[in-house]
Amino acid sequence: MTTPNETDFRKAMSHFATGVAVVTAKGSEGEQGATISALTSVSLDPLLLLICLNRASATYRAIAEAGVFGLSILGNDHKDVAMLFASRTADKFGSDVIERAADGTAFVRNALVKMHCELVETFQGGTHALFMACPVALELDENRPPLLYFQGQLGITL
């Protein structure tokens, strides 16, 4: 074993296959959204999940301000959506890939899972923050495979 550096650590972590999701929130800077792969369930009693975002991102600020966010877990047919929300494109919300809940929360159309989440606690970790949240509403579509991320590539199939 060797002492890890940033490059080696990034490469090592790329070997952990993950699903891909989009988070959205509206803060003082307007509506924001980001593609994430750092998402995990935490507890069933109470229901809790955890997401991770860079503290320099506008989406981090929007979630921290709003205290709520939308979470869309992407299907394998959402690669373009994942790339859109991973970019710094000004208008991520003007396309037909977005649909709105009754309260205006943005979700990815035809996502495998859509969840309204309320922020419970925030933890700081270096350049990133961990948001622990409670899902308060959800919708499932279990008929398609997930979008996977592995070794820097989107769309790996099972």
Side-chain angles (χ1 to χ4, degrees):
M1 296 188 112
T2 62
T3 302
N5 58 37
E6 183 179 325
T7 301
D8 292 341
F9 181 71
R10 181 184 295 261
K11 186 174 181 180
M13 293 308 298
S14 79
H15 285 73
F16 184 68
T18 66
V20 182
V22 165
V23 292
T24 63
K26 188 171 185 177
S28 62
E29 299 173 57
E31 199 164 37
Q32 307 296 329
T35 299
I36 64 167
S37 59
L39 161 68
T40 190
S41 62
V42 174
S43 172
L44 294 175
D45 185 19
L47 298 177
L48 294 171
L49 60 84
L50 194 72
I51 66 168
C52 183
L53 286 169
N54 190 308
R55 290 188 296 143
S57 76
T59 306
Y60 160 81
R61 292 187 298 276
I63 292 172
E65 290 173 8
V68 295
F69 60 92
L71 172 69
S72 301
I73 298 176
L74 304 183
N76 201 35
D77 54 340
H78 286 120
K79 184 175 179 180
D80 291 343
V81 175
M83 295 305 293
L84 172 67
F85 278 85
S87 75
R88 296 184 189 261
T89 301
D91 187 14
K92 298 175 182 179
F93 297 93
S95 74
D96 63 353
V97 301
I98 293 298
E99 64 183 18
R100 304 227 175 245
D103 68 354
T105 301
F107 292 96
V108 173
R109 186 177 308 282
N110 298 320
L112 297 180
V113 176
K114 299 171 195 161
M115 277 192 231
H116 278 278
C117 299
E118 292 181 353
L119 191 57
V120 173
E121 197 165 349
T122 303
F123 305 93
Q124 305 302 319
T127 58
H128 285 63
L130 305 171
F131 288 123
M132 188 177 305
C134 175
V136 294
L138 67 83
E139 179 181 312
L140 295 171
D141 175 0
E142 302 176 276
N143 298 319
R144 296 185 338 274
L147 181 61
L148 298 179
Y149 183 68
F150 179 71
Q151 291 186 328
Q153 301 294 313
L154 281 171
I156 306 301
T157 56
L158 298 173

